[in-house]
Amino acid sequence: MPSRKKTAMFASAFLTCVCSFVLICVVLATQRWMSSQVRFSGTNASVTVSLTYGLFSGTCEQFVDAGLQVSERTFQVADNLRSTKAKSTITAIIVILVLGLLSSLLSSGFTCTNAVSNPYQTFLGPTGVYTWNSLCGIFILIAMILFPVNIEEYGLSIELANGCFSFLQTHTKSEHAYGYSYWIMLLIIFLNIASIIIIYFYDHARYSKKKEQERPIENAPKDVILF
């Protein structure tokens, strides 16, 4: 059976891993990644399309300067994208987040195992926790980078606006605001870092104690050596 200290440390890391897993599920499920105001100029009036969307679906509204408002409608992100680059990037983000979800699940399993037992295999110990938490953090960071690239470089919001409403003319201006679904990923990265730090402190303390026990005999008291 593991010591109380080991159980407490790995139980704390397990809690952070579970929170990370739940938050990745929230990121995938919620559709508050981006809110955009996309403006188009026409012959007679200017049109503004208001979008709120995530990785799978969203809502859009159209406002005309004359005061006309088209009722809100729901759309599927994949169906509204014509650009291959924008669609491929969205798909890549989803795949990367799923990989992060699996990494977080494995990390939760490893920390739980270490909290209740002493695995014989080295990789099932702190090394495995370091590995899976690091991978999860890297996957989430890549997703956080790819999404703004899709917005700024591939015009994701403009593509979605054109998919929602036909006969839109020249794009003139866009304003973007990242929603809570996006910023939650920052918290996930911090949780993974916290898990690594917790296990590092435990591993460092265990290593120091082991070195103390393996102290050379010349460092022992003289009376012990004489005996």
Side-chain angles (χ1 to χ4, degrees), residues 94-172:
I94 294 170
V95 171
I96 288 168
L97 286 175
V98 170
L99 290 174
L101 188 70
L102 293 175
S103 299
S104 184
L105 181 63
L106 286 169
S107 182
S108 300
F110 276 43
T111 51
C112 182
T113 301
N114 281 272
V116 298
S117 64
N118 293 311
Y120 292 105
Q121 294 86 350
T122 304
F123 188 72
L124 292 178
T127 303
V129 179
Y130 293 148
T131 301
W132 294 118
N133 275 280
S134 298
L135 284 174
C136 182
I138 291 169
F139 287 140
I140 299 301
L141 182 61
I142 293 172
M144 288 193 75
I145 294 170
L146 285 179
F147 190 70
V149 168
N150 211 7
I151 298 292
E152 302 297 335
E153 293 295 324
Y154 305 141
L156 178 61
S157 293
I158 302 169
E159 285 269 344
L160 294 174
N162 281 300
C164 279
F165 302 102
S166 55
F167 308 112
L168 294 175
Q169 298 186 24
T170 308
H171 169 252
T172 57

Side-chain angles (χ1 to χ4, degrees), residues 67-101:
L68 178 65
Q69 176 183 350
V70 177
S71 60
E72 183 179 272
R73 63 177 67 174
T74 303
F75 64 88
Q76 298 300 312
V77 171
D79 296 339
N80 278 23
L81 293 178
R82 298 176 184 176
S83 168
T84 305
K85 289 183 178 180
K87 186 178 288 187
S88 299
T89 307
I90 283 289
T91 304
I93 292 171
I94 294 170
V95 171
I96 288 168
L97 286 175
V98 170
L99 290 174
L101 188 70

Side-chain angles (χ1 to χ4, degrees), residues 217 220-227:
I217 193 169
K222 291 182 179 179
D223 54 345
V224 176
I225 295 175
L226 292 173
F227 178 78

